Amino acid sequence: MSDGKQINGTCLCGAVSVTATPEKHEVGACHCNMCRKWGGGPFMEIDCGSGASFTGEDNISLFSSSDWAERGFCKSCGTHLFYRLKETGQTMVPVGLFESQDGLNFTGQVFIDEKPEFYAFANKTEDFTGAEIFAMFGKSE
Ligand SMILES: [Zn+2]
Ligand SMILES: [Zn+2]
């Protein structure tokens, strides 16, 4: 899988499909309390920029999880579809949705300070605390 290549995916029931052309075929993980409550574990995603497009929009439910972000999921099967920043439209799509899992590199982890003790990934990644992420995005909390 080379950078700039289109990737395709679907939810579990197939009612929603997604097409994206991410800049980098890199996977990131978020360990924040909200992501872990949302998915039951860390959120593993591909940053699809603002270019992710979804079909089957009638089947997408939106949940506004904070002032700055919303989360989409399939109404029929509950599959998590995206985490999206409201201001920029930057969209992270769960990596598991995509047909191909080949050629991906797991490169970064965020909210590493909110990761519980009972697990740790062995991959060598670049890790950031929540405070470092908020500083990067200009948020104070
Ligand atoms: Zn579905
Ligand atoms: Zn998170």
Side-chain angles (χ1 to χ4, degrees):
M1 189 184 285
S2 66
D3 286 0
K5 187 183 167 190
Q6 179 177 296
I7 54 175
N8 307 296
T10 62
C11 65
L12 197 54
C13 76
V16 180
S17 54
V18 56
T19 299
T21 312
E23 236 171 77
K24 293 173 179 172
H25 290 266
E26 294 181 347
V27 177
C30 182
H31 301 282
C32 84
N33 294 326
M34 274 195 283
C35 282
R36 285 185 298 101
K37 194 170 277 281
W38 190 40
F43 177 45
M44 302 198 72
E45 47 75 21
I46 295 181
D47 182 350
C48 294
S50 52
S53 68
F54 292 85
T55 61
E57 300 229 13
D58 291 354
N59 294 292
I60 300 176
S61 266
L62 277 182
F63 174 66
S64 178
S65 55
S66 64
D67 286 346
W68 59 87
E70 59 192 4
R71 296 166 191 258
F73 59 95
C74 174
K75 282 178 194 171
S76 306
C77 68
T79 298
H80 297 159
L81 300 168
F82 56 84
Y83 170 92
R84 180 188 287 149
L85 295 173
K86 292 174 184 173
E87 217 173 278
T88 60
Q90 188 184 353
T91 302
M92 326 295 176
V93 178
V95 60
L97 266 58
F98 294 106
E99 282 155 24
S100 172
Q101 308 280 297
D102 298 331
L104 295 165
N105 292 310
F106 180 30
T107 55
Q109 301 181 58
V110 298
F111 286 87
I112 197 73
D113 53 320
E114 291 187 19
K115 182 185 75 59
E117 285 294 313
F118 72 85
Y119 71 83
F121 294 124
N123 306 64
K124 290 266 175 289
T125 58
E126 201 176 358
D127 301 344
F128 300 94
T129 65
E132 285 166 344
I133 290 300
F134 284 126
M136 254 180 258
F137 287 93
K139 307 268 188 218
S140 56
E141 57 183 49

